[in-house]
Amino acid sequence: IFSHIKDDLKQNNGYSIKEKLNLWFSLYEKFNHNKNKEITMSNQLKNYQKYVEELSLEKADTSAMTDKQFAFAAGQVIEYVLKKSAAENRSYQLLEPYLQQSKCQEFKRAIANDIARYKHAIDIDKKDFRFKRVSDAVLAHETETNMKDLLPEVLSGVFSRCQFFYKDEDKKQENNN
């Protein structure tokens, strides 16, 4: 499935990528018999989203971040940064520098390079403070895990609803503080 997803990335076919990720997640447990059947990739998505939201609000313990949580959070950071691109043709080919990396340090360097490239569009002091918190955690995380093994989580982060945007509860909480 991943090779088909890579083809779709080159052709900028976002709908097909999401469909294939759904298939990958729903079928993953059928072929991975060593895992606990109660914890599936599909039900982990909500847990990843909640973790990134907690990270963005400084409510999560970054020292306990798992590699999969890191990968999902990195996907959220990547998508957020790439959305800051002023290019008219924002294709999924922009993901290629991340998908090629197997070592964590190189993967994080690709993220840092794009943050530097689009820094003019990121307002860390005001509306992008949640992005900063998650980026800090992502760029500080260390792992020996091959990043290609974490690609399902990275891509899920890219294609999942971004947890960096304000919610009504956040605005109320900020006004109360």
Side-chain angles (χ1 to χ4, degrees):
I1 289 180
F2 182 65
S3 64
H4 289 282
I5 289 173
K6 284 175 66 173
D7 288 341
D8 287 339
L9 287 169
K10 291 176 184 170
Q11 296 172 10
N12 201 30
N13 190 351
Y15 178 77
S16 182
I17 294 167
K18 290 177 185 178
E19 290 291 314
K20 288 179 177 104
L21 279 171
N22 284 334
L23 282 172
W24 194 352
F25 281 8
S26 62
L27 295 175
Y28 181 79
E29 288 75 28
K30 301 280 186 209
F31 299 100
N32 190 0
H33 301 291
N34 298 326
K35 298 287 182 185
N36 181 349
K37 294 294 183 188
E38 294 176 15
I39 300 173
T40 65
M41 288 182 75
S42 57
N43 70 23
Q44 280 297 91
L45 183 60
K46 288 181 183 173
N47 294 333
Y48 294 148
Q49 289 173 329
K50 183 174 175 26
Y51 182 76
V52 170
E53 183 176 346
E54 289 174 357
L55 264 179
S56 73
L57 297 171
E58 293 183 319
K59 294 180 180 178
D61 179 9
T62 58
S63 66
M65 180 188 290
T66 67
D67 290 348
K68 290 184 177 193
Q69 288 170 327
F70 154 72
F72 183 85
Q76 293 268 284
V77 168
I78 290 166
E79 175 62 10
Y80 191 77
V81 169
L82 293 180
K83 281 189 176 187
K84 297 295 183 176
S85 166
E88 286 186 32
N89 183 12
R90 285 186 256 170
S91 72
Y92 293 115
Q93 290 178 352
L94 295 173
L95 293 174
E96 200 61 35
Y98 307 105
L99 302 179
Q100 293 174 353
Q101 306 307 324
S102 59
K103 293 184 179 176
C104 182
Q105 280 304 111
E106 296 302 317
F107 179 75
K108 292 188 312 184
R109 184 170 292 127
I111 293 172
N113 287 340
D114 275 351
I115 289 173
R117 181 176 298 126
Y118 302 118
K119 67 182 177 277
H120 62 279
I122 300 171
D123 186 358
I124 292 176
D125 293 331
K126 294 189 179 164
K127 63 180 179 170
D128 294 330
F129 67 93
R130 293 178 79 175
F131 162 78
K132 178 190 178 304
R133 293 172 183 162
V134 178
S135 297
D136 289 347
V138 165
L139 294 173
H141 187 79
E142 296 292 333
T143 183
E144 294 297 319
T145 303
N146 187 322
M147 292 307 300
K148 294 189 185 258
D149 294 337
L150 297 172
L151 283 176
E153 288 78 16
V154 171
L155 289 173
S156 294
V158 169
F159 291 102
S160 195
R161 181 179 55 88
C162 188
Q163 303 299 308
F164 302 151
F165 297 110
Y166 277 114
K167 294 181 180 175
D168 289 337
E169 309 92 66
D170 296 342
K171 290 179 185 175
K172 289 176 189 173
Q173 184 179 4
E174 278 187 6
N175 290 336
N176 291 335
N177 290 339

